[in-house]
Amino acid sequence: MGNQACNPSPNTVDCLYDAASHAGLLPDLSLDASLASLLSLNSSRVVEQQYAALQSRLAPQQRAAFNRDLHTAFGGNAMVSYGGVGVVALAVSVLFEVLAHHQTTTSGHRGLERPPTPPDPIARMFGPNGRSEVGSIASEFLKQVPGAANDRDQMVALLESYEAKLRFELMDLYESMVFLERGALSSAGVKQWVNGAALHLHIFLHWKRLTDPAAAESFSLDYLRGVDPLVKTYSEYLHRTVRETPASGPGLSGLLVVEPLRNVSHEVRHRACESAAIQRALVERFLSDQDPQRGKDFFQSSQDRHDALMAQRGDLRLSIASH
């Protein structure tokens, strides 16, 4: 009876979950949806739809400047080689977003008014860097793709260089989280690994697509097999790190800790004996909100559709810049 009496109400758990959500503390380790769609057999359609949607939203003068900026970024070419395929499509999509934001803010915000914060697609996909350089390597690579896209030799050299950089960084990150020091494990690290692995796989595929189209090797199975041990280790980690104490009176706030240095004070009152059950309930909810299956499905699909992915060919035609 005593244990049952200390079970928290669902409303208490909901309030504490909301406190974590409002403070931006909800863990996020899922594969980014835009990254998954651009590294797929539908990539050409995805990037063409994005391009058309951006063009339609821009005013005529903004659209002309946007297209001029694009032509400059791609060396004056109206055609982007493999611009609708894999990592090139991803880099093109990132560039679209940044350039369109630039046009709408430079023309729409004058004087002393502070313009909106520019988009950071890399941070959205890979999260904060933390202890890993995966996000920085991804950013460096994607920024260089437009200048190399129409030069096969330059593109091959870029792919080969960043394939190696990202592979070693991902191996180091995975080992540090799963096999070595537990202090390296974090939600940010898991997110970086999942999304970095997806990017690395498609850097490798595009490198082989350009140099050895018949190549059968792939990192898909390695990454597929790596997901479950990582998620298991991460689940154990959350059970250790999520801690909660109740608010106990006026001016005496409670504290919810999700991960080291990631916490929020709250005003939710409950009996102290309920904290252990609340912690378990919050961990279960945090984990159920994640979608590790999306990452597993991505790597499985990349393995199953390897030949179709290697055979992809989709150049992107840019609109003629207005003068």
Side-chain angles (χ1 to χ4, degrees):
M1 292 295 291
N3 287 339
Q4 187 168 1
C6 276
N7 285 336
S9 72
N11 184 61
T12 298
V13 176
D14 287 345
C15 288
L16 288 165
Y17 180 92
D18 289 343
S21 177
H22 293 152
L25 299 180
L26 295 184
D28 175 19
L29 55 90
S30 59
L31 180 67
D32 181 81
S34 61
L35 190 150
S37 66
L38 288 159
L39 301 180
S40 73
L41 290 173
N42 295 323
S43 55
S44 286
R45 184 176 63 185
V46 172
V47 79
E48 286 168 1
Q49 288 176 343
Q50 180 190 9
Y51 188 38
L54 288 174
Q55 296 265 27
S56 68
R57 288 202 296 265
L58 294 171
Q61 187 174 1
Q62 294 172 334
R63 185 162 57 247
F66 173 71
N67 286 323
R68 283 196 297 271
D69 288 345
L70 279 178
H71 278 256
T72 299
F74 290 104
N77 292 293
M79 186 74 74
V80 182
S81 181
Y82 289 97
V85 176
V87 291
V88 184
L90 179 61
V92 168
S93 173
V94 169
L95 183 63
F96 283 168
E97 186 174 346
V98 172
L99 291 182
H101 175 86
H102 173 71
Q103 289 305 324
T104 55
T105 55
T106 53
S107 61
H109 295 267
R110 303 294 186 186
L112 298 177
E113 184 180 357
R114 189 173 183 177
T117 302
D120 191 345
I122 305 302
R124 186 176 65 240
M125 294 174 190
F126 298 93
N129 275 333
R131 297 185 180 207
S132 165
E133 293 299 317
V134 169
S136 295
I137 294 170
S139 179
E140 290 172 8
F141 169 73
L142 293 172
K143 286 176 182 176
Q144 293 182 62
V145 167
N150 289 312
D151 184 323
R152 183 184 176 282
D153 291 341
Q154 188 179 349
M155 191 68 195
V156 167
L158 181 67
L159 291 163
E160 184 174 9
S161 172
Y162 278 88
E163 186 279 319
K165 287 183 182 181
L166 200 48
R167 172 161 41 94
F168 287 122
E169 186 66 21
L170 287 165
M171 288 173 58
D172 183 67
L173 176 60
Y174 190 89
E175 289 178 359
S176 70
M177 291 193 297
V178 177
F179 301 118
L180 301 176
E181 53 175 304
R182 290 183 171 181
L185 187 60
S186 67
S187 298
V190 177
K191 182 178 180 65
Q192 287 229 323
W193 185 84
V194 171
N195 288 277
L199 176 63
H200 174 244
L201 171 61
H202 280 262
I203 288 176
F204 184 82
L205 285 176
H206 196 49
W207 177 32
K208 292 299 180 181
R209 187 184 286 123
L210 295 179
T211 59
D212 185 12
E217 70 258 50
S218 169
F219 291 99
S220 305
L221 283 179
D222 291 339
Y223 287 140
L224 179 63
R225 291 169 183 148
V227 172
D228 282 344
L230 180 56
V231 172
K232 179 178 182 295
T233 303
Y234 176 72
S235 173
E236 294 167 352
Y237 159 81
L238 275 189
H239 279 287
R240 293 194 306 270
T241 61
V242 173
R243 291 290 177 265
E244 188 275 337
T245 56
S248 55
L252 297 173
S253 299
L255 182 68
L256 172 61
V257 178
V258 177
E259 296 180 82
L261 304 180
R262 290 172 56 79
N263 55 71
V264 61
S265 59
H266 64 81
E267 303 303 322
V268 181
R269 295 192 187 189
H270 62 82
R271 289 167 296 176
C273 67
E274 295 175 353
S275 287
I278 287 170
Q279 289 159 189
R280 290 193 296 271
L282 286 173
V283 170
E284 290 170 5
R285 188 159 174 185
F286 291 156
L287 290 171
S288 69
D289 282 351
Q290 306 309 305
D291 191 7
Q293 189 63 40
R294 182 191 290 173
K296 291 182 67 175
D297 290 346
F298 177 86
F299 296 126
Q300 184 68 65
S301 175
S302 296
Q303 176 68 21
D304 296 341
R305 301 180 179 182
H306 175 270
D307 292 346
L309 288 167
M310 289 290 284
Q312 271 185 297
R313 173 80 198 199
D315 296 339
L316 178 67
R317 180 175 293 280
L318 303 174
S319 298
I320 301 300
S322 303
H323 298 286

